[in-house]
Amino acid sequence: MHTSTVTTEYMKLSVSERIQLVEDIWDSIAAEAPDDALGLSQTQKAELHRRAAEHQADPSSAVPWERVRAKLFPDRT
């Protein structure tokens, strides 16, 4: 199927249907990809562990998602 035809077809879907389509595509990619193709690098894993430890040491340092979203997207609040 030609790319412009695919674009035309998926744009006919509702937002929730397109989100579901993206999830389905991602799941199919994850199922077919080698185990390490979508995994995190050792550096990324180390950073996640560092951040988790930092949060456990001081949970009050976390910023609620609502505040982050309002700062990133001030026109959507």
Side-chain angles (χ1 to χ4, degrees), residues 26-41:
W26 179 255
D27 289 345
S28 72
I29 292 169
E32 293 178 23
D35 289 341
D36 61 343
L38 302 175
L40 299 175
S41 69

